[in-house]
Amino acid sequence: MNQAITVPDLGVQGDVEVIEVNVAVGDRVAQNDALLVLESDKASMELPAPMSGIVREILLKIGDRVRQGDTVLMLEVDASTALAPALDKALEQPVVEEHKAVQQPAPVVSKSTAAALPIDHDDSSIHAGPAVRKLARELGVELGRVAPSGPRQRVLKDDLNAYIKEMVQKAQSPDFGLSPSTPAPLPDFSQFGEVSVRELSRIQALTAKGMLNSWVTAPQVTQFDQADITELEQFRKEQKARAESAGVKLTVLPFLLKACAYALKALPQLNVSIDVAQQRIIDKHYVHIGIAVDTPHGLFVPVVRDVDKKSILELAQEVAVLAQSAADKKLLPGQLQGASFTISSLGSIGGTAFTPIVNVPEVAILGVSKAQMQPVFVNGQFVPRLMLPLSLSYDHRAVNGAEAARFTSLLGQLLGDIRNLLL
Ligand code: CAO
């Protein structure tokens, strides 16, 4: 049996515009499925199916204007539901969705038409139908966050689905959804000039992921300082030949390792991890220091264990072995784990300072730049001194600025007179 579905009393003067047609000829609709969305100058309304059936003919299109009594479509009504008592009840007691901003008389319905359900234009003027609003409420989605694609900035069900899909993808992405925003797609660079494309190596991909994780997890500050290593350098040069005869290349790095181990024991606040989720600090009673090693395959950070218990020569030897293993891609997974602090030395390359990124879950990293001869004012006169630039980045959730400044100043004292390391 075909039934003409007509526009009910909308409670508005004159005609209204059809802004959505939600069905097509041949569609099966259930009772209360949205057939159309109508919009007056005051409100939008969904026209729900008064009964279930199959759409046989649609008599209007988007943009048409209709008024009470106009036929909207022909519905082939299911014999079983046409006479269902529930239908009578539904037609006599229309469901009216909350309608905050616009005062609207309750729609009057007849048995040949269903109630048009007013759609609220809430305080922030978000346009969306009752079904979309209901779904958003159930899923806890703030409709204001969903980009609308419907006419007059209307949020459609597809928009809500797209938003939810994007959120789920972000949460499941390799960066754990921590990325502050999804990067914009890259332009086609070939329009600007010749380009070629290379795949990221595994180590480059891991480094990128680790850096992003550190960047978005730890609020970081960098403390700059300088250490006077004039005497240290003199001592190093004196010992270099002796070290070489033992097969060891003696650079500044093992001294830095030793000084950092000493400072980490003296100021253990920098030798911790912070666990914000569990509201606790984990104090490390060991001193394992990672060394950033630059290789043609990418950046590796092998770990020197128990730095506080090893001699300068032992440390020099171990760094050389680890750096060679990194270059040969022969580091074992265990050699890349367990650091409680990191040193990144760019001193052999150059630069005056930089801001290293904390290797989370560690809470501090020391960046070292190139030592330079500088005039330093000592006892009333300028004297040439070899000054080593130090850049200590720290996770400000776990380390206070004062602690960081004490740390670099202690490093300055230790490196300024390495006899301090013996104490
Ligand atoms: N100031 C001045 N000279 C320095 C110096 C400094 N801060 N640090 C090292 N040098 C000197 C060394 O003393 C050595 O000089 P000599 O040949 O006269 O003895 C020379 O520079 C070369 O040192 P090196 O690089 O062979 O050895 P190292 O112990 O200083 O460093 C290693 C070892 C593995 C850390 C280094 O080779 C390396 O890979 N550095 C890069 C680390 C990096 O990429 N960090 C960035 C990470 S974040 O992107």
Side-chain angles (χ1 to χ4, degrees), residues 132-250:
V132 171
R133 283 180 189 280
K134 184 164 176 279
L135 188 58
R137 266 199 308 276
E138 282 169 6
L139 297 172
V141 175
E142 288 172 32
L143 271 182
R145 292 176 182 270
V146 181
S149 69
R152 294 194 176 85
Q153 298 294 297
R154 224 175 128 66
V155 178
L156 307 180
K157 198 174 170 198
D158 282 350
D159 302 331
L160 189 58
N161 284 338
Y163 175 81
I164 293 163
K165 195 172 163 195
E166 187 192 331
M167 289 299 122
V168 170
Q169 273 170 355
K170 270 191 185 169
Q172 293 176 354
S173 68
D175 64 13
F176 312 111
L178 290 169
S179 172
S181 61
T182 309
L186 293 177
D188 174 9
F189 295 105
S190 65
Q191 65 185 305
F192 309 121
E194 196 184 330
V195 293
S196 57
V197 177
R198 289 173 293 126
E199 294 292 315
L200 277 186
S201 69
R202 204 178 140 267
I203 187 72
Q204 285 171 323
L206 282 172
T207 302
K209 188 176 157 186
M211 290 295 168
L212 181 64
N213 182 42
S214 292
W215 190 256
V216 298
T217 328
Q220 309 186 19
V221 180
T222 306
Q223 168 74 23
F224 300 105
D225 212 331
Q226 287 189 319
D228 183 337
I229 59 164
T230 317
E231 267 89 49
L232 188 159
E233 187 62 5
Q234 200 178 329
F235 176 74
R236 186 181 76 87
K237 282 190 175 143
E238 285 163 14
Q239 299 300 319
K240 216 174 156 191
R242 194 177 137 202
E244 261 161 32
S245 64
V248 178
K249 187 182 176 200
L250 191 58

Side-chain angles (χ1 to χ4, degrees), residues 223-355:
Q223 168 74 23
F224 300 105
D225 212 331
Q226 287 189 319
D228 183 337
I229 59 164
T230 317
E231 267 89 49
L232 188 159
E233 187 62 5
Q234 200 178 329
F235 176 74
R236 186 181 76 87
K237 282 190 175 143
E238 285 163 14
Q239 299 300 319
K240 216 174 156 191
R242 194 177 137 202
E244 261 161 32
S245 64
V248 178
K249 187 182 176 200
L250 191 58
T251 65
V252 185
L253 193 54
F255 294 94
L256 283 166
L257 276 165
K258 201 72 195 161
C260 285
Y262 187 104
L264 288 168
K265 294 219 113 179
L267 298 165
Q269 299 94 314
L270 282 90
N271 203 37
V272 305
S273 280
I274 183 166
D275 183 350
V276 174
Q278 310 263 354
Q279 296 282 292
R280 57 188 194 166
I281 294 279
I282 297 106
D283 291 304
K284 322 266 174 73
H285 300 293
Y286 52 85
V287 182
H288 302 338
I289 300 183
I291 303 291
V293 177
D294 181 38
T295 78
H297 329 290
L299 178 69
F300 289 86
V301 189
V303 181
V304 184
R305 299 195 126 68
D306 297 313
V307 175
D308 53 323
K309 299 184 181 127
K310 291 175 179 163
S311 71
I312 300 277
L313 284 184
E314 281 174 321
L315 292 172
Q317 195 156 32
E318 193 167 336
V319 168
V321 170
L322 288 172
Q324 192 57 51
S325 302
D328 298 342
K329 288 207 217 169
K330 287 198 174 138
L331 287 169
L332 301 170
Q335 292 175 302
L336 293 161
Q337 290 170 357
S340 51
F341 183 84
T342 294
I343 297 177
S344 175
S345 173
L346 295 174
S348 61
I349 302 169
T352 53
F354 65 109
T355 54

Side-chain angles (χ1 to χ4, degrees), residues 111-132:
K111 290 204 175 187
S112 64
T113 61
L117 303 181
I119 296 164
D120 55 332
H121 292 202
D122 68 13
D123 293 341
S124 52
S125 304
I126 297 160
H127 296 231
V132 171

